Structures are given as structure tokens and as C-alpha cells.
Amino acid sequence: MPKNALVVGMPRSGTSLTASVFVKCGYFAAEEADGQLRGEDENNPMGYWEADDLIEANVELFRSVDYNEHNTWRFAAIGEQQGEQIGRLQPLDTHRRLVARYNEHSPWIWKDPRLCYTLGYWWQLVDQANTGVLVIRRDKDEIYRSFVRLDWREDSDENRREVYERIDQHMLAMERDLKRFNIPYLEIDYSDYKSAPEQTAEKLSQYFGLSIAAEDLGFEAKFNSSTLRGRVTDKLESLAFMMPEGARKGLKKAMPHSFLKMLFPKRFR
């Protein structure tokens, strides 16, 4: 049977694309009927594959160490000691039941950037023999540009330095838990989806016990803001967003859908 998957990485690093690969392979992500799963939007056209029950459980862990923000990348940084304390928390029965519910649907996938800080806590609760950790990395500048594109940061040298530092904090916290709990893991870089799809598919297949082909990875340059096509697409999307609603409706009526989809792949799918 394929291993369950914990996908760990910064926001905007390719974790959503990665999670979608597993979902296409039949992995359970959340109870859609209960509204647990965050849907797709123009920022993540392939979907987020984040379950609200996992997110809220991670936020609960943050609050247990007196970090009261909802996430660790758009708000104040979590303290190093606070992050270390999470792995020492006594597991809650509600969290044991959460894992048990997902085990009823194995293989399952968890994807939430908060796992950078909570991985060690959850590793004590999952079936370690049948669960794999997948670490996703991406170039810091590409992540930063994506933050700017989403208006999470204004473009400035100061903000660039701050985002770089925040990325380092998240990945160091994750690396600390990997070492501290002796967690086996597979690591890939987001760029591998484009530069080495066959090798990347083979790595995922072997580690998780799957049969993934390169075409199953679903990488599309038009959704990647670091490529020339992605940057052009983002500019067009911004123009479409600034149009009055009446103008957008008129454009939709006047042009063939295939042409609109080519110009605005995120807005007209």
C-alpha cells in the first residue's frame, strides 16, 4: 500500500502542486462534503489541498506555546524557543482522533506550511512505518516575488531581506525536527518539476510506493510566476483584475473562450 504523505515547505514553494500529484493518485486530502478542503482560486488554479481541520489543529499548537497569530509567514515571526516547544507538547486526544480519522482513508496527504514548525509533534502520532515526509524547496527570490504578486509584501530591499530570513527560519525549524526525531524524508526542489520531470516522478514513485509518470506532475509554466510566460500572464491577469466588472463581462462575450483562456489562463479556465 502507498505511504501516507506529509508535504512540508514554505508557502508559494510548490507544495500545492505537489499535493495535487498525490490527490490524482487517489490520496485522501479532506472531507470535501464537510467543506474542509480549501478550493482553487486565481492564485492556486490547481487547488490548495489544505484541510481546515489540520490547519486549525496547527494553529492550536501555536497558541499552546503563546504564539497567537494564525500563520508564521504573514505575521510576526514565531520565536525560536516557541518553535522548539511544539515538539515537546503532550499529544492531545483530539489530535490522536484526527490522525485516526485520516488513517481510515489511507493513503492520505497532509499539506500545510505550518508543518515546518509542527512536523515533530505530528510525527509522534502518525504511523511512522507507513508515512513519508516530502520536503519541498524553492529559490528564495521566486518565493519572494510570489509574495509580492499576492500583495503579501511590498517590493523593497527591506521586505526582500525579511522574507529571505523568514524562509530560513521555517526551513531550519523543519530541519531541526527531522534531525531531532530521526525522521526519514525525500527532498525535491520545485525547479525539478520543469528541469527533471522523469527523475522527479521516479523519486516520488519509489519513495511513496506509487507509479507516477512525468506527465502526472502537472507542471505548467503559465502558472509559474518565475518564468517569462508566467510573468507575462501575471501582468495580463492584473490588467483583467483592474477592469470594471462590465468591461470584463463584455470582453467575455466578445471573444472566444479559447482565446480568453490563452490570454488569462487563471481567470478563464
Side-chain angles (χ1 to χ4, degrees):
M1 185 175 185
K3 291 181 179 180
N4 304 317
L6 295 170
V7 178
V8 188
M10 274 294 288
R12 315 310 299 173
S13 66
T15 55
S16 297
L17 172 65
T18 302
S20 73
V21 175
F22 287 89
V23 172
K24 286 186 289 188
C25 289
Y27 275 59
F28 175 80
E31 292 287 359
E32 293 186 69
D34 294 339
Q36 286 286 335
L37 197 61
R38 184 179 177 187
E40 65 180 43
D41 61 22
E42 62 185 24
N43 296 321
N44 260 6
M46 295 182 182
Y48 287 84
W49 308 112
E50 294 177 359
D52 284 345
D53 50 9
L54 173 62
I55 291 174
E56 292 310 315
N58 280 329
V59 171
E60 185 178 13
L61 292 175
F62 288 165
R63 290 172 180 155
S64 297
V65 297
D66 295 323
Y67 179 79
N68 296 314
E69 303 292 359
H70 189 264
N71 67 62
T72 53
W73 54 92
R74 296 188 64 184
F75 300 102
I78 188 171
E80 183 176 349
Q81 289 186 341
Q82 290 172 301
E84 290 181 352
Q85 288 172 6
I86 293 175
R88 297 190 178 94
L89 293 172
Q90 185 68 26
L92 299 176
D93 287 341
T94 53
H95 293 167
R96 294 183 188 277
R97 290 193 292 271
L98 175 65
V99 173
R101 288 202 306 272
Y102 275 84
N103 284 338
E104 293 174 359
H105 301 280
S106 291
W108 49 260
I109 180 165
W110 277 4
K111 173 257 175 179
D112 178 14
R114 297 165 186 82
L115 287 169
C116 289
Y117 284 98
T118 65
L119 175 62
Y121 175 88
W122 292 111
W123 187 248
Q124 302 170 78
L125 300 180
V126 302
D127 179 0
Q128 297 177 8
N130 295 304
T131 303
V133 172
L134 179 56
V135 174
I136 307 296
R137 296 188 185 271
R138 190 180 185 187
D139 179 81
K140 291 180 185 177
D141 193 56
E142 292 183 7
I143 295 176
Y144 169 72
R145 288 203 299 268
S146 190
F147 273 38
V148 171
R149 180 173 61 86
L150 296 183
D151 292 326
W152 289 1
R153 296 289 194 283
E154 292 184 359
D155 191 8
S156 70
D157 290 341
E158 181 180 355
N159 278 325
R160 184 185 299 272
R161 285 192 296 270
E162 196 276 333
V163 170
Y164 280 22
E165 181 178 345
R166 197 67 63 90
I167 293 170
D168 286 340
Q169 290 168 349
H170 279 74
M171 302 311 284
L172 285 172
M174 175 269 298
E175 290 166 0
R176 180 194 63 225
D177 277 358
L178 290 174
K179 183 177 181 179
R180 177 179 170 189
F181 294 95
N182 196 28
I183 302 174
Y185 65 96
L186 173 67
E187 181 176 315
I188 62 174
D189 193 279
Y190 179 71
S191 62
D192 294 338
Y193 285 120
K194 179 182 179 181
S195 63
E198 291 82 6
Q199 296 91 324
T200 303
E202 180 64 22
K203 287 180 182 179
L204 291 172
S205 296
Q206 289 187 357
Y207 188 74
F208 288 97
L210 298 169
S211 180
I212 300 174
E215 55 268 23
D216 297 327
L217 299 180
F219 178 86
E220 294 188 54
K222 65 187 177 183
F223 295 137
N224 180 5
S225 60
S226 67
T227 65
L228 175 60
R229 185 177 180 184
R231 291 194 293 270
V232 171
T233 294
D234 283 340
K235 291 295 184 182
L236 290 172
E237 293 290 339
S238 297
L239 290 173
F241 181 77
M242 290 186 291
M243 287 181 184
E245 182 64 23
R248 286 202 298 271
K249 289 181 178 179
L251 187 66
K252 193 171 183 179
K253 289 180 180 180
M255 292 186 177
H257 181 77
S258 58
F259 186 67
L260 289 173
K261 187 175 180 181
M262 181 182 68
L263 289 177
F264 310 103
K266 300 176 186 177
R267 190 170 298 274
F268 298 101
R269 293 188 297 278

